[in-house]
Amino acid sequence: MKKWKCTVCGYVMSSEEQPQSCPACGAGADSIIEIVEQEEPAKSDTASSATEEAQAKPDTEAGKESERQWKCTVCNYIHKGDEPPDICPVCGADKSFFIEVGGEEPAKTSQAKVKEAPAQKTAAAAQSDEKRKSFGLIGTLIMKLNLHPISVHTPNGVIPVAVVFLLLGLLLQYVPLELASFFNLIFVLLTMPVVIFTGFVAWQKKYRGAKTALFKTKLVCSAVVMILVSLMVFWRFIDPQIGISGGTGSWIYVGLGCVVLAAAGIAGHLGGKLVFGK
């Protein structure tokens, strides 16, 4: 079975014929290349007998270790080596989430890994699989239509505009810019519940609800954006001059906007890391 790699997202697939598109990112056939395994260099005559013996026993470690590949079942990262990494460099999942791929008997390898894993991890994996099946039709549509990437780009594009308008309005004492910033913040506040819900569903269904540092950080950033934007909108309702008065309160108000921008940027960076790898 030939192996093919998408040069856009790094996804590895197996097929006799070249795939017409990448199932992960949708890239066309022109972005998919065949992975050609390099043959071992010829050895000296004195080692020929050892080479023949190794070839006669393909199941020995000498014949298989260099070809072993491990796939993270959370983010699909592929690791090459004798053993899976302790921590996935992309999503932070531990080694219990890795399965061996590309071998002649991947099913046996997976079963062996399950037997070696602690009972608690096995139970956690089973529980995460149940979560992936939840949310019914809504969850299926969210994943099929990629609604989380679509929804998250909306506030991520509006937040920088809102902060820049707010800062310029304060510095120039220009009310229309500050008012435009306020309306943009209201729009962000209205879209955040959709972003958080679709992100939670994607986390459970696609990433098995893995509680790694990466996903915890994304959850914290989402909460920070939601809470601070709510605070800014209600503060502006109570004091319509807070963004333009020029006092200490105005600069605190602008500072909250900068924190919102930073949190959204960090969440976006981590999301890109999941999609494109490290």
Side-chain angles (χ1 to χ4, degrees), residues 88-129:
C88 176
V90 175
C91 69
D94 63 50
K95 67 189 303 180
S96 66
F97 285 93
F98 279 82
I99 60 173
E100 186 171 6
V101 296
E104 294 181 358
E105 299 179 349
K108 292 184 178 180
T109 305
S110 301
Q111 292 175 1
K113 284 295 174 184
V114 170
K115 291 180 180 179
E116 294 176 1
Q120 293 181 350
K121 290 184 178 180
T122 304
Q127 184 177 5
S128 66
D129 289 339

Side-chain angles (χ1 to χ4, degrees), residues 3 7 15 40 51 57 62 65 128 151 158 172 179 196 256 269 276-277:
K3 293 182 180 179
T7 57
S15 175
E40 295 183 0
T51 303
K57 298 180 180 180
E65 285 181 351
S128 66
S151 62
V158 175
L172 302 176
L179 186 60
I196 293 175
L256 292 178
H269 167 73
F276 300 109

Side-chain angles (χ1 to χ4, degrees), residues 205-244:
K205 294 182 73 67
K206 184 176 181 180
Y207 301 109
R208 301 172 60 186
K211 297 179 177 64
T212 66
L214 184 148
F215 291 107
K216 290 179 180 178
T217 304
K218 282 178 64 68
L219 291 172
V220 170
C221 288
S222 299
V224 168
V225 171
M226 184 69 185
I227 293 172
L228 293 188
V229 169
S230 301
L231 177 61
M232 293 179 71
V233 169
F234 286 111
W235 192 354
R236 175 60 169 70
F237 270 121
I238 296 172
D239 184 2
Q241 300 299 317
I242 188 61
I244 203 74

Side-chain angles (χ1 to χ4, degrees), residues 5-267:
K5 179 178 180 181
C6 175
T7 57
V8 176
C9 66
Y11 183 77
V12 177
M13 59 207 94
S14 298
S15 175
E16 290 295 340
E17 302 294 334
Q18 182 182 16
Q20 296 303 310
S21 63
C22 174
C25 68
D30 56 340
S31 299
I32 298 176
I33 60 175
E34 182 180 358
I35 300 177
V36 180
E37 298 181 356
Q38 297 181 352
E39 298 182 356
E40 295 183 0
K43 296 182 179 179
S44 62
D45 295 338
T46 57
S48 59
S49 58
T51 303
E52 293 176 355
E53 182 179 356
Q55 291 176 348
K57 298 180 180 180
D59 291 335
T60 59
E61 294 182 358
K64 294 185 69 179
E65 285 181 351
S66 61
E67 299 178 356
R68 299 183 77 176
Q69 295 185 357
W70 307 87
K71 177 181 177 181
C72 175
T73 57
V74 175
C75 67
N76 295 324
Y77 169 75
I78 300 295
H79 172 81
K80 295 182 179 180
D82 298 342
E83 297 291 337
D86 293 333
I87 299 294
C88 176
V90 175
C91 69
D94 63 50
K95 67 189 303 180
S96 66
F97 285 93
F98 279 82
I99 60 173
E100 186 171 6
V101 296
E104 294 181 358
E105 299 179 349
K108 292 184 178 180
T109 305
S110 301
Q111 292 175 1
K113 284 295 174 184
V114 170
K115 291 180 180 179
E116 294 176 1
Q120 293 181 350
K121 290 184 178 180
T122 304
Q127 184 177 5
S128 66
D129 289 339
E130 288 297 324
K131 291 181 179 180
R132 295 179 69 184
K133 300 176 182 178
S134 61
F135 303 105
L137 179 61
I138 295 178
T140 301
L141 289 175
I142 288 175
M143 298 306 299
K144 183 177 181 180
L145 301 178
N146 294 316
L147 293 185
H148 179 62
I150 293 174
S151 62
V152 78
H153 279 78
T154 301
N156 279 1
V158 175
I159 288 173
V161 176
V163 174
V164 170
F165 280 5
L166 176 61
L167 183 59
L168 290 177
L170 177 59
L171 293 175
L172 302 176
Q173 290 294 295
Y174 191 55
V175 175
L177 281 176
E178 186 276 335
L179 186 60
S181 172
F182 175 57
F183 289 147
N184 281 325
L185 288 176
I186 292 177
F187 181 75
V188 171
L189 182 60
L190 293 176
T191 59
M192 281 305 298
V194 178
V195 172
I196 293 175
F197 177 70
T198 56
F200 181 80
V201 172
W203 175 46
Q204 294 294 327
K205 294 182 73 67
K206 184 176 181 180
Y207 301 109
R208 301 172 60 186
K211 297 179 177 64
T212 66
L214 184 148
F215 291 107
K216 290 179 180 178
T217 304
K218 282 178 64 68
L219 291 172
V220 170
C221 288
S222 299
V224 168
V225 171
M226 184 69 185
I227 293 172
L228 293 188
V229 169
S230 301
L231 177 61
M232 293 179 71
V233 169
F234 286 111
W235 192 354
R236 175 60 169 70
F237 270 121
I238 296 172
D239 184 2
Q241 300 299 317
I242 188 61
I244 203 74
S245 63
T248 302
S250 293
W251 288 107
I252 294 177
Y253 188 75
V254 172
L256 292 178
C258 292
V259 174
V260 169
L261 180 60
I266 293 173

